[in-house]
Amino acid sequence: MSNREATDTIIGYFYQFDHSISKLLELNRIDDYITIEGIEDIDIKTIDENTAIQCKYYAKTEYNHSVIAKPIRLMLEHYKEVKNGRKTSVNYYLYGHYKSGQDKLILPLTKNFLKEKFLTYKKDKITYYHHNELNLLDKDLDDFITKLTLDINALNYDAHLENILKMLEVQFNCSRFEAEHFYYNNALKVIKEIATKNDVTERVISKKDFLNEIDKRQLLFDEWFVRFKGKKKLLSNLRKEYFTNLNTSPFERFFLIEIDKTNYLRSELKELIFFISKKWSNISKREPIPFCPYIYVHNISESALIELKKDLQRENFKFVDGFNFQGASFSKRSICITANYENQIKIKIVNKIEYLDLIIDETSKTKEIYQFYRQKPYFNLDNASIKHVSIQYENLNDLKEII
């Protein structure tokens, strides 16, 4: 498969995911639900009706009747099962976007057009009449047509996504960045996980459960969202949203960084500490309110942390960690000492996660917490007055592109 074909395939998947997201957001009642990959790509269940939706995206392909003929025949097979009392009645909806050729489809649909263009086909030089094989009469086809909606003028990918982001902004009363990077990102993950369930009963989700699942103000580094944005663009957006300031305010900033303790390089971690210190410290004589950041490394062993501190000390990089002498207890006052030109403190290392709450309570300055995690957040803060950003990441070096 060429790169172009692969890209087209991925966009097709996104379009189907997006259609599921939009249909969930459009549901009128909180307890209405959809089934992903049920009878069709999406099944919608409300108090009023059941609808089975087939969704296709062919942005570079001309519309031809053959493209939608097979899905329509499958819908007709389901209709026959309903007629025989073996399935529940539904409405059928075929939704698609095509480059051109939409004028070939004459609407409203007639039974003769249905027979000729969609139900009659050839295989191995033999002509088949699908309605005859199903023993359906003209009156059955007329009834089927009343339950069938064809829309081959669907929105293109960008316009479809724009509608979703607008709905998310309204639903969560949030900014465009939050709608895209938090809620849409989470929505993609939820829909993707549901779509891969083997049991159809596990591919059902209500609007209420969907909204609860995606209502997380933390950024996932989900593989599908990374494909959607592109890794470089995603990292750039994060830096622009959270870490680009013309004038860095003298806040108390906490950088919480989870490492893979079995697969990380101390040299990379040390470089990241230097990078954070250089960007988020100011202890010059001219700074009226000098400051430096706190760093907590999650999952690092006690011995590895000691070796990291030894490296910093050997390189004459001044830090404090709240311990004033060997055998001393942790002192929140000691670690909260103001960094300045005289003491040359460039970083404050938090040894244990339990110390974070103590330090946060001790300092009276404006505080910002940036938590970087690998699988799930590990620090919770129930304080609406403190900015707390949680971001999933892949590689330590990626953080230098964000921070």
Side-chain angles (χ1 to χ4, degrees), residues 79-90:
Y79 173 83
K80 176 61 183 295
E81 293 287 290
V82 173
K83 189 172 181 293
N84 290 341
R86 290 192 287 266
K87 296 284 179 68
T88 302
S89 178
V90 302

Side-chain angles (χ1 to χ4, degrees), residues 168-291:
L168 289 170
E169 286 181 87
V170 172
Q171 178 67 48
F172 295 103
N173 189 26
C174 66
S175 68
R176 174 53 63 97
F177 177 90
E178 292 169 329
E180 182 177 0
H181 292 80
F182 294 159
Y183 303 112
Y184 176 68
N185 187 351
N186 280 294
L188 277 180
K189 182 175 184 294
V190 169
I191 296 299
K192 176 197 68 176
E193 289 179 350
I194 292 174
T196 57
K197 300 289 186 182
N198 290 324
D199 190 338
V200 69
T201 62
E202 295 181 335
R203 298 199 299 272
V204 179
I205 186 166
S206 68
K207 181 175 184 177
K208 178 181 179 181
D209 289 341
F210 175 71
L211 294 178
N212 287 338
E213 283 286 325
I214 71 172
D215 191 7
K216 297 179 176 67
R217 293 179 62 84
Q218 61 192 51
L219 191 138
L220 301 173
F221 216 79
D222 181 73
E223 60 176 324
W224 281 96
F225 189 71
V226 172
R227 286 189 178 190
F228 159 67
K229 290 298 294 182
K231 187 172 184 178
K232 185 175 181 180
K233 179 66 174 176
L234 174 59
L235 299 180
S236 175
N237 285 356
L238 290 173
R239 181 175 66 252
K240 182 179 179 180
E241 179 70 12
Y242 296 118
F243 301 104
T244 300
N245 296 304
L246 295 176
N247 297 302
T248 304
S249 302
F251 296 160
E252 298 280 33
R253 294 182 178 84
F254 295 77
F255 293 89
L256 319 182
I257 302 166
E258 181 180 17
I259 61 167
D260 179 353
K261 60 183 177 183
T262 62
N263 186 28
Y264 83 99
L265 296 176
R266 190 163 78 237
S267 58
E268 288 184 357
L269 180 57
K270 185 173 63 174
E271 286 177 10
L272 180 59
I273 291 173
F274 290 155
F275 181 86
I276 293 172
S277 174
K278 182 177 181 180
K279 184 171 181 181
W280 298 102
S281 298
N282 191 337
I283 55 173
S284 71
K285 280 185 176 181
R286 296 186 299 275
E287 174 58 43
I289 309 176
F291 58 94

Side-chain angles (χ1 to χ4, degrees), residues 266 270 303-317 319:
R266 190 163 78 237
K270 185 173 63 174
S303 59
L305 183 58
I306 290 172
E307 293 303 315
L308 174 65
K309 291 177 182 178
K310 286 180 179 178
D311 281 357
L312 297 177
Q313 191 176 52
R314 276 193 293 268
E315 297 181 37
N316 200 30
F317 187 84
F319 65 90

Side-chain angles (χ1 to χ4, degrees), residues 321-383:
D321 63 0
F323 290 85
N324 295 324
F325 53 88
Q326 185 175 355
S329 298
F330 173 72
S331 169
K332 58 185 180 180
R333 288 188 177 181
S334 177
I335 199 170
C336 290
I337 186 175
T338 300
N340 55 42
Y341 179 78
E342 284 70 31
N343 60 33
Q344 285 295 298
I345 296 172
K346 298 177 180 178
I347 208 85
K348 299 177 180 183
I349 297 176
V350 182
N351 293 344
K352 296 181 179 181
I353 197 167
E354 305 93 81
Y355 299 157
L356 285 171
D357 286 325
L358 299 174
I359 298 168
I360 290 168
D361 289 340
E362 177 68 15
T363 178
S364 59
K365 291 182 181 179
T366 300
K367 293 171 275 287
E368 295 179 348
I369 300 173
Y370 300 97
Q371 176 178 192
F372 297 93
Y373 65 95
R374 299 187 60 79
Q375 296 300 326
K376 61 180 181 179
Y378 45 87
F379 179 68
N380 296 314
L381 181 70
D382 187 18
N383 191 331

